[in-house]
Amino acid sequence: MAAVFPQAAESSLEEKIVALQSTPLFMKSLPSEESNDPVIQALQSLAFDGTPDEIAQNFKEQGNDYFKGKRHREAISFYTQGIDAKPSDIVLHEALLCNRAACNLELKNYGSVLRDCSKALILNTKSSKAYYRSAMALFALERYEESLDCCERCLEYDPENKGIRSVRDRSAKAKAEKLRKESEKQERIHNEQREKTLLQVAFKERNLFAVYNQKGSSENPYTPHFDPEDPGGTTLIIPVFFLYPQYATSDVIAHFVEDTTFSTHIFQMFPPHAPAPSWDKAGKYNADTLVVYAITRRKRLLKVGKKMSLRDVCNAAKAKEGEPDDGLELKDGCLTFVVVPKGEVEQNWTPHGKTHRKKDIDEGVKLAMSVNHKILRTANAPTNSPDETEVSVAQALIDLENNVPELKTELRALQISAAREVDVRGGKKAIVVFVPIPQLKAFHKVQQRLTRELEKKFSDRHVVFVAQRRMLSKPYPGPAVSVDGSKLLKVILDPKDATSLEYKLDSFSSVYRRLTGKDVTFEFPPANQE
């Protein structure tokens, strides 16, 4: 039997390259310190043999060879050794500096380019290459004025230099574009400041009191502004919340033109002969039977006639002569009105004390703004207003964000696009939460903990997260075939998730069937399967 001797482990490609480059023949550059290797000593004596100009010229030629091969870092090493040789030939010294600048320009080391070109211009005030590379570096740094200055200085003595003329034209065009953008930015800032001032005047004229979030930020994506279609530019458009305290829900009218009557919106939102909204269990929210109320800053209750415009209500909220200032509160850029059906619901709400009515509105605004912020309707999501399930899920996310410190940071930026209930085998239900595709990875980071917390809140239902996308007609290329020849779709799950997911396999199957119309079996591999 042949003896087996231990073999050295194969070295990697990188190790082989390093070993090769340590061989004198394949070195990129010679070490500057003395070496005990006789071959390196011989090469060092050859490289540094001769006058400073001869040594510098030798390194320049080697650097040029590497530059032609686009090995810019190695070329820099040779040009640097040529410069360190301190040649007395000014032309040679200038060439080494300009060549090293060319390498650094390719490597986008613009600071090094400018330093070398500055030194070259001290040696030769008419170095076109130094001016060109300086102009290119300054252009890349968006210092267009300085780039143009370099070009103009060079063209004074070298007017036909095509490279310089090209950089000058590009710099002039880029400078003009930069000035245009800056001018537009300043004009936009000026207009925004002017509109802000005019809005403050308009608020005062309309008895509106702006109240902003004490934390300095608002979740309301809409803001009051002047109607762009008004030639006089004096008509206000204000976001308005319609709160329905009976069901703790709301609607947002993002663009309520102040000259529009309330009946216009009420009849559009609650047509007399249309089906009631999904949240209106009693079916009482009908345009003919609804009453609108507003509460002023001093907690006066105003009944709003349907033929009144928003501007009319603002005028009606004004304090009587001799009384403290009063008007409507514009909270975080939004006005709020309460909408209730006539009869028992109205009677139960209006007798409440002023403090209770104000509290209802404050909590309603806070809830509506937060919930609307948490629901982002993406391209494939429903277009209708959030239903009861979606509002419940959104509110649960807000509660977790506020009460679970470990989830606060992650949940703050997350939103859902939809949510719906699905029947599961055994008479149970599951909540399917649809997530916007761009936020899917962020949800994955907290999905296990978030699912657990949500299932505590919805104790009788399982929670399943799904990306908001169109389901493909053939989600799996190779369905299994059962004994009787019928096709089965099987999904084998990761065994490490068995403890946390096994109780939800029926929910997964039911959700998949509801979304795709196809049956699928979710399984974990047998314990002994490798």
Side-chain angles (χ1 to χ4, degrees), residues 10 25 38 61 65 70 82 124 144 159 170 178 203 217 220 223 225 287 304 316 329 342 378 395 401 415 420 450 460:
E10 290 188 9
L25 182 61
E61 290 173 357
D65 290 337
K70 296 185 177 182
N124 177 13
Y144 305 123
R170 290 167 60 195
K178 185 177 181 180
F203 292 166
S217 63
N220 184 10
T223 56
H225 58 277
V304 179
E329 283 190 343
K342 293 177 182 177
T378 54
Q395 186 58 48
E401 180 184 331
Q415 297 167 295
R420 68 174 71 164
L450 181 58
D460 57 337

Side-chain angles (χ1 to χ4, degrees), residues 66 215 389 479:
Y66 277 98
K215 297 180 181 179
T389 301

Side-chain angles (χ1 to χ4, degrees), residues 6 25 35 60 73 89 93 201 208 230 244 273-274 276 286 305 361 366 390 433 437 444 494 508:
L25 182 61
S35 173
K60 173 177 173 288
R73 297 188 187 280
D89 186 342
H93 195 175
V201 173
L208 296 176
D230 177 17
Y244 316 116
H273 304 294
N286 182 292
I361 288 185
K366 184 177 179 182
E390 292 169 330
V433 181
I437 289 291
H444 283 165
D494 194 327
F508 290 161

Side-chain angles (χ1 to χ4, degrees), residues 93-104:
H93 195 175
E94 175 197 343
L96 286 164
L97 288 166
C98 288
N99 289 0
R100 188 167 69 176
C103 293
N104 278 311

Side-chain angles (χ1 to χ4, degrees), residues 358-402:
K358 188 72 164 54
K359 185 178 179 182
D360 285 346
I361 288 185
D362 289 344
E363 291 181 350
V365 171
K366 184 177 179 182
L367 172 65
M369 291 178 67
S370 300
V371 167
N372 281 311
H373 175 71
K374 277 295 178 188
I375 300 175
L376 174 66
R377 294 302 201 197
T378 54
N380 296 321
T383 57
N384 58 304
S385 299
D387 60 22
E388 186 177 353
T389 301
E390 292 169 330
V391 171
S392 298
V393 172
Q395 186 58 48
L397 291 175
I398 294 167
D399 292 342
L400 291 175
E401 180 184 331
N402 293 330

Side-chain angles (χ1 to χ4, degrees), residues 422-457:
V422 175
D423 292 326
V424 181
R425 294 170 189 167
K428 296 182 179 179
K429 291 183 179 293
I431 296 178
V432 185
V433 181
F434 294 88
V435 177
I437 289 291
Q439 298 184 26
L440 187 58
K441 287 185 178 179
F443 265 99
H444 283 165
K445 293 179 181 178
V446 295
Q447 184 171 341
Q448 189 170 0
R449 174 70 186 276
L450 181 58
T451 302
R452 189 164 63 247
E453 294 293 339
L454 287 176
E455 288 183 347
K456 289 179 185 177
K457 287 183 172 291

